[in-house]
Every structure is written in structure tokens, then in C-alpha cells.
Amino acid sequence: MLETIPLYSQDAYQQECEATILAITERNGIILDQSIFYPTGGGQPGDVGQLIANGNSVDILTTVKDRDTGELIHVAGEGDIPFQVGDKVTAKINWETRYKHMRMHTMLHLLCAVIPCGVTGGQVGADKSRLDFDLGEFEVDKEQITENLNKLISENHSVTTQWITDEELDNSPDLVRTMSVQPPRGVGKVRLLKIGESVDLQPCGGTHVKNTGEIGKMLVSNIKSKGKRNRRINIVWDND
Ligand SMILES: [Zn+2]
């Protein structure tokens, strides 16, 4: 397996980086030694952008993790790739879209704080996002969720990450109890995303903003029934 240093995991705000091509796959996939391109995962779409070298530019249509090898693949459009293994390239992501993903993604963490129920699915988008909840007896109201969500956003909570080992997890049962999603075990260490002192804490490998105030005003556009206990909460930007 070819390893790519995930720069997006260290600094979600980095829009550009230099990298070296490690491989070009048969299906127009490009593997780099390090990358700012976030791969599709955790309900967040993979990044789009360009790789530039020697006066040539290649559009990257999406970024994925190979299902078999786990390698980070920058998926180029059709046509010949004017690069070779060993070439140094400048990698640039489409920042406008990515920043919207970061704001939407962080907002969904806040939604978990507003609705303290099990999450059964979700999707981050640049224009709308959703989370599905197993509500049980919990009652939801569109206006109330919108209000509570915007309150948390406007409180300017800091968004930070911390790494925790399986051993630390085992030694801190209180920490696990306060998490809205239980961390996977047996993978060595897990990245936790923490909002404020106690707004939300859960394992997550996605890209987030540094402060909830960056998200901006949101609106619950509708709540759809997805079975007896499941409800889909759809959220859009409130541009008014
Ligand atoms: Zn996240």
C-alpha cells in the first residue's frame, strides 16, 4: 500500500500543497506522497480541484479511498495524464466547495447536540445536508431545532481535535459516556472532535471549521419520516 500523508487531517484550512506523484493507476487515479484532498467518507464528499506541474494542469473530479488497499486516490477526468511517477506537482482544492462542506459538517455535529438520539445515516453537501435519527420517544419540531441550532452556532464555540488510544478509552469510561457516537475499538487510536467544553464530543475524521460562528445561519428545511422511529432532518443555508 502506498501511504499518503493526510494534510487535511492536520489543517483543514490548507488550500494548496506541493507533492510528489507516487503512482498513476490504470483508471486515471493519481497517488501522492501527501495531500490536502479529503477523500469521500463519513458522509462528506471527496474534494475536487487541480494538480499542476510543468505548465500542465489535470482536473481532479473527486477523491476516494481505495476500497481494497485504503490508498488515497485523486480521480482525474478521462484522457491522458501529462505527468509521470516522481513528478513534483502543486495540488489545489476547490476551496469554495470544501469550505461549505466544512461549515455544513461542523453544523451536523451541533445537530447531534440538539437532538440527543442515535444517528442512523447522514450526508454532507455544499447546499444542503441531512442526518437521520432513530428518535424513539423524542419529539422534534422544525422551528425549535432551527432555533436551538442557530443558538449553538452564534455562541462561537471552539472546535478542536484530540487523539485518544484504546487504552485511554478503557481508562476513561466517563469520556465514552459523554460521546454522542461510540468510538471504534481495536484500531489503535481514534481522532475525537470536541465542540466547546461539553457541546459535542465524538470520533470523526472529517474536516471542520475552527469556530461554530463560521458556520453561519442555518434552517431546517423539512423533516421526513423514514419509518416508524426514523426521521430525516434536512438542513439548508438561511440566506435571509
Ligand atoms: Zn466531523
Side-chain angles (χ1 to χ4, degrees):
M1 179 201 165
L2 296 169
E3 294 268 7
T4 303
I5 299 168
L7 299 177
Y8 54 84
S9 175
Q10 298 157 20
D11 178 8
Y13 288 81
Q14 196 176 339
Q15 302 174 32
E16 196 178 313
C17 76
E18 302 301 315
T20 301
I21 296 182
L22 298 182
I24 299 175
T25 71
E26 286 172 10
R27 296 160 76 184
N28 268 15
I30 299 170
I31 302 176
L32 303 174
D33 63 338
Q34 57 177 4
S35 185
I36 47 169
F37 281 69
Y38 177 79
T40 304
Q44 186 178 326
D47 282 327
V48 170
Q50 285 94 37
L51 300 184
I52 302 153
N54 321 318
N56 290 310
S57 164
V58 165
D59 286 336
I60 300 303
L61 308 183
T62 188
T63 310
V64 296
K65 275 219 165 158
D66 187 279
R67 219 170 282 163
D68 300 321
T69 64
E71 287 166 334
L72 187 84
I73 313 278
H74 304 77
V75 182
E78 283 184 28
D80 289 339
I81 293 174
F83 304 145
Q84 290 180 334
V85 170
D87 280 357
K88 306 257 185 247
V89 297
T90 300
K92 286 184 184 176
I93 53 170
N94 180 330
W95 175 246
E96 198 183 327
T97 304
R98 155 67 97 71
Y99 189 51
K100 283 180 180 171
H101 290 163
M102 285 160 59
R103 291 161 64 205
M104 280 285 194
H105 184 134
T106 309
M107 177 277 297
L108 291 183
H109 280 267
L110 293 180
L111 188 61
C112 291
V114 171
I115 304 175
C117 301
V119 173
T120 55
Q123 182 65 47
V124 173
D127 299 317
K128 58 179 182 178
S129 298
R130 63 172 171 83
L131 276 184
D132 299 344
F133 289 94
D134 178 355
L135 288 182
E137 300 301 311
F138 191 80
E139 306 247 344
V140 287
D141 172 77
K142 210 170 101 173
E143 275 72 37
Q144 191 63 53
I145 296 171
T146 298
E147 191 184 322
N148 293 349
L149 192 57
N150 284 318
K151 181 170 181 287
L152 287 176
I153 290 169
S154 64
E155 283 171 349
N156 294 317
H157 294 287
S158 64
V159 180
T160 54
T161 56
Q162 63 185 92
W163 288 90
I164 189 159
T165 62
D166 284 0
E167 197 180 8
E168 285 169 312
L169 271 180
D170 292 337
N171 292 333
S172 5
D174 286 346
L175 183 64
V176 174
R177 211 169 297 139
T178 56
M179 283 183 214
S180 52
V181 173
Q182 296 307 304
R185 288 178 188 259
V187 290
K189 59 177 189 170
V190 179
R191 191 176 83 149
L192 300 180
L193 189 88
K194 183 180 177 185
I195 302 187
E197 273 311 303
S198 59
V199 176
D200 187 55
L201 180 68
Q202 61 178 284
C204 187
T207 57
H208 312 87
V209 292
K210 285 179 182 157
N211 188 292
T212 61
E214 286 183 52
I215 297 169
K217 213 173 165 205
M218 305 302 304
L219 182 71
V220 176
S221 55
N222 58 59
I223 298 173
K224 283 189 176 145
S225 178
K226 291 278 163 188
K228 200 176 169 198
R229 296 160 56 102
N230 272 270
R231 294 291 179 275
R232 173 164 294 175
I233 316 287
N234 287 296
I235 301 196
V236 295
W237 307 112
D238 185 349
N239 294 318
D240 290 341

